[in-house]
Amino acid sequence: MKKAFVIGAGPAGLTAAYELLKQSDEYEVTVFEESEHMGGISKTVNYKGNRMDMGGHRFFSKVPEVNQWWENMLPMQGSPAYDDIRLERQIQLKEGGPDPEKQDRVMLKRNRVSRIYFEKKFFDYPISLKWETFKNLGLKTDIIAGFSYLASVLHKREEKSLEDFYINRFGKKLYSMFFENYTENLWGRHPSEIDPSWGAQRAKGLSVMAIIKDMFGKLLPNRDKRHVETSLIESFSYPKLGPGQLWDVTAAEVEKMGGKILKNARVVSFEKDADNHIVSLTYEHGGQLVRAEADVFISSMPLKDLVGGMNGVPEKEASIAAGLPYRDYRTLGVLVPRLNLKNLTKIKTIGNIVPDNWVYVHDRTVKLGRFQIYNNWSPYMVVDLDHTVWIGLEYFCTEGDSLWNMTDEEFSRFAVGEMVKMGLIDSPEDVLDTHSESVKKAYPAYFDTYAEIDTLIAWLNTIDNLYCVGRNGQHRYNNIDHSMCTSFETVHNIVNGVRDRSNIWNVNTEKEYHESK
């Protein structure tokens, strides 16, 4: 049999392994994963029974193949009643915890609620044009924002940067309030320094005009059939035990089909022959370096590391890969008896907590970028729903900077202090427990040598047995469904002997935008 090596057990890597095993009996498939966990940044961390979602992952797609794939792995259950949840949790706790192999292998239907926390007030995300928004802004700001938007309609800027992209769609005033600071916090660069393609990647079709069209569309008789911009979706699917559950199930299916998954196996280098054909890779496992040969290599590892570990890379392409930027991520799980935030919405929640899945923080006095409320992602993420709120404080940083280098204890003190400063809790003494997690290269960034990435891609496509998939594998800010689609296309090419790679790289470059989180 031929051998296929898959680097990375995230959504793209596991999808590629599963699909190749399902569609062909010619390949022996091995997956190399540098950590203990399946799912990459989509993993779920279990801390004393309370579960953490690394970044928040909504499962929503306009690709039928993806939706069916998810349904096959985790059938849809719907939203359980609170009494049913309590009874089930009581039984599970007596039995030692939930069993993913039994009743817990399902998807839940969840309401999407995401808001912006700005000057200690909540604003809808994306910004809505309803009375509460105008009231929170104040009359003076309403007038300035209105004229600012009209100016952007009449005088479009040439889109040389992400700043231009947002101002063209929202006007300068709303941009300064709801995009500028958050974007700089996220990327560590001002939007004027970031390529506009990031905006096109993550906010296709979203603008003030799209919000107005959606608002009036809800009033029409056939409103359920109207076109909805992805950033305006109101519900999504979610694995009962967090996103990592889907990839744990997928990994188990890969192994049932004969695939191998090597955990704690970090790929460090690749060997190419004189014909630019990859012959082998070397991985670190148990303190030893192991060389292994294969016929096909499917990589979801960061392009920077992939190219940096190869021999025979031309100077130009090596320089582009070495300069590709990333943003890293730290999150602190915080267990509290309650939050000071009041639920002023009409949405019913367990314990009457605010209904948000996550909240974007636009407070310029803190470094916190976003916080998740895990109770609202899935009630099964929290051990004691009646008496605790389990939240995740998300910080964007760069490996080696002061935030990244904080010890877990220092990070906990710092982040809890910001909770107090924002008024989320009254005192650090309110905190029952914390847990810290860090993720390297969580977000591929669109600046520095990214402007020359097409040159790098063209060279990578000359390697006949290499396929780049997923978010980091393509250095593209893909959602889960996009990452999976790159693997669908890759397996199609391998099975059918298609040499051209354009279908793989063209995933998520079309005008229509798909969202999974």
Side-chain angles (χ1 to χ4, degrees), residues 236-500:
F236 58 93
S237 301
Y238 194 75
K240 189 173 182 178
L241 300 178
Q245 181 184 15
L246 175 66
W247 306 113
D248 289 338
V249 169
T250 303
E253 293 299 317
V254 166
E255 292 179 325
K256 285 179 185 178
M257 296 165 72
K260 300 176 183 177
I261 298 178
L262 294 180
K263 298 180 181 179
N264 299 310
R266 185 173 70 91
V267 174
V268 295
S269 64
F270 298 83
E271 179 186 346
K272 291 195 290 91
D273 62 18
D275 296 321
N276 210 31
H277 180 89
I278 298 180
V279 176
S280 67
L281 60 72
T282 298
Y283 64 97
E284 185 178 25
H285 186 64
Q288 301 293 320
L289 290 177
V290 183
R291 181 181 179 274
E293 297 184 355
D295 302 282
V296 169
F297 297 80
I298 303 173
S299 173
S300 66
M301 69 189 291
L303 277 183
K304 186 173 190 172
D305 299 334
L306 171 71
V307 177
M310 283 186 189
N311 64 301
V313 181
E315 184 177 348
K316 175 67 173 177
E317 284 74 11
S319 176
I320 295 170
L324 288 175
Y326 300 82
R327 197 68 164 147
D328 306 301
Y329 167 91
R330 288 197 75 169
T331 186
L332 186 73
V334 182
L335 191 67
V336 293
R338 64 190 174 280
L339 291 173
N340 288 340
L341 303 175
K342 294 182 179 180
N343 183 12
L344 300 178
T345 72
K346 296 179 180 179
I347 301 173
K348 186 178 180 181
T349 60
I350 297 171
N352 200 35
I353 62 175
V354 289
D356 306 75
N357 310 121
W358 62 39
V359 176
Y360 297 91
V361 177
H362 288 235
D363 186 337
R364 294 175 183 266
T365 67
V366 297
K367 291 186 177 181
L368 179 64
R370 197 170 61 186
F371 64 89
Q372 297 185 62
I373 303 176
Y374 298 120
N375 304 53
N376 296 331
W377 283 100
S378 167
Y380 298 93
M381 300 276 279
V382 186
V383 172
D384 188 353
L385 279 171
D386 290 310
H387 304 104
T388 61
V389 182
W390 178 231
I391 69 173
L393 308 178
E394 300 184 335
Y395 288 84
F396 312 113
C397 53
T398 300
E399 185 179 358
D401 68 15
S402 59
L403 191 59
W404 180 268
N405 287 336
M406 285 183 183
T407 65
D408 288 350
E409 184 179 349
E410 290 170 339
F411 181 52
S412 177
R413 277 200 308 270
F414 170 75
V416 169
E418 292 208 328
M419 288 183 70
V420 175
K421 188 174 187 178
M422 291 173 58
L424 303 183
I425 58 176
D426 294 325
S427 165
E429 282 69 41
D430 294 338
V431 174
L432 303 174
D433 203 354
T434 65
H435 177 70
S436 174
E437 289 283 334
S438 302
V439 180
K440 295 180 181 179
K441 294 185 174 68
Y443 307 109
Y446 287 25
F447 41 83
D448 296 344
T449 59
Y450 173 80
E452 302 175 90
I453 197 168
D454 286 346
T455 300
L456 178 60
I457 291 171
W459 178 77
L460 287 168
N461 286 342
T462 66
I463 305 175
D464 67 335
N465 61 339
L466 172 66
Y467 300 85
C468 297
V469 298
R471 175 182 282 195
N472 275 336
Q474 295 194 338
H475 201 86
R476 184 175 292 161
Y477 202 127
N478 284 331
N479 284 320
I480 296 173
D481 60 344
H482 303 137
S483 294
M484 293 175 65
C485 286
T486 62
S487 293
F488 291 160
E489 297 296 333
T490 290
V491 172
H492 168 82
N493 286 11
I494 293 172
V495 172
N496 293 283
V498 178
R499 179 69 185 87
D500 182 29

Side-chain angles (χ1 to χ4, degrees), residues 44-238:
T44 301
V45 173
N46 187 339
Y47 176 69
K48 299 181 182 179
N50 292 310
R51 297 169 184 269
M52 299 173 65
D53 180 346
M54 298 292 99
H57 293 83
R58 300 186 180 107
F59 289 78
F60 173 87
S61 181
K62 295 179 183 178
V63 182
E65 185 179 8
V66 171
N67 286 317
Q68 187 59 57
W69 203 94
W70 290 337
E71 177 72 17
N72 291 341
M73 289 293 177
L74 295 176
M76 179 61 67
Q77 181 189 62
S79 299
Y82 181 41
D83 289 341
D84 295 336
I85 297 169
R86 294 180 67 183
L87 178 60
E88 187 174 347
R89 292 309 299 266
Q90 289 171 6
I91 295 172
Q92 289 174 346
L93 290 172
K94 289 180 181 178
E95 296 177 349
D99 185 352
E101 293 298 319
K102 295 181 181 178
Q103 75 276 16
D104 293 300
R105 285 183 60 162
V106 295
M107 285 269 200
L108 304 179
K109 196 72 175 177
R110 311 304 295 157
N111 291 323
R112 169 183 174 156
V113 183
S114 296
R115 291 184 292 174
I116 294 169
Y117 194 64
F118 179 68
E119 294 185 348
K120 298 192 176 181
K121 296 176 183 176
F122 278 111
F123 294 83
D124 287 346
Y125 176 85
I127 290 296
S128 65
L129 300 180
K130 59 188 183 184
W131 168 245
E132 185 181 6
T133 302
F134 295 114
K135 179 183 175 182
N136 283 345
L137 287 173
L139 180 60
K140 181 179 178 181
T141 302
D142 289 336
I143 294 172
I144 295 173
F147 279 106
S148 176
Y149 173 66
L150 288 175
S152 73
V153 172
L154 296 173
H155 304 285
K156 291 294 183 185
R157 300 163 67 116
E158 182 182 355
E159 293 188 0
K160 296 181 178 180
S161 69
L162 186 58
E163 180 175 63
D164 299 325
F165 177 93
Y166 281 134
I167 290 175
N168 279 344
R169 286 155 183 78
F170 296 93
K172 199 165 186 178
K173 181 62 176 178
L174 290 179
Y175 156 75
S176 68
M177 294 174 66
F178 298 116
F179 294 94
E180 185 176 23
N181 182 65
Y182 181 82
T183 302
E184 188 168 10
N185 189 12
L186 170 57
W187 295 112
R189 299 283 184 94
H190 190 268
S192 62
E193 302 175 53
I194 300 175
D195 193 282
S197 58
W198 187 88
Q201 183 83 3
R202 300 298 293 179
K204 286 177 183 168
L206 182 60
S207 64
V208 168
M209 190 55 65
I211 294 168
I212 293 173
K213 287 173 63 177
D214 183 70
M215 180 176 66
F216 283 103
K218 292 177 182 178
L219 303 176
L220 299 175
N222 60 342
R223 56 186 176 274
D224 292 338
K225 296 181 180 180
R226 75 191 191 282
H227 174 79
V228 179
E229 297 299 343
T230 303
S231 293
L232 301 173
I233 63 164
E234 296 177 350
S235 65
F236 58 93
S237 301
Y238 194 75

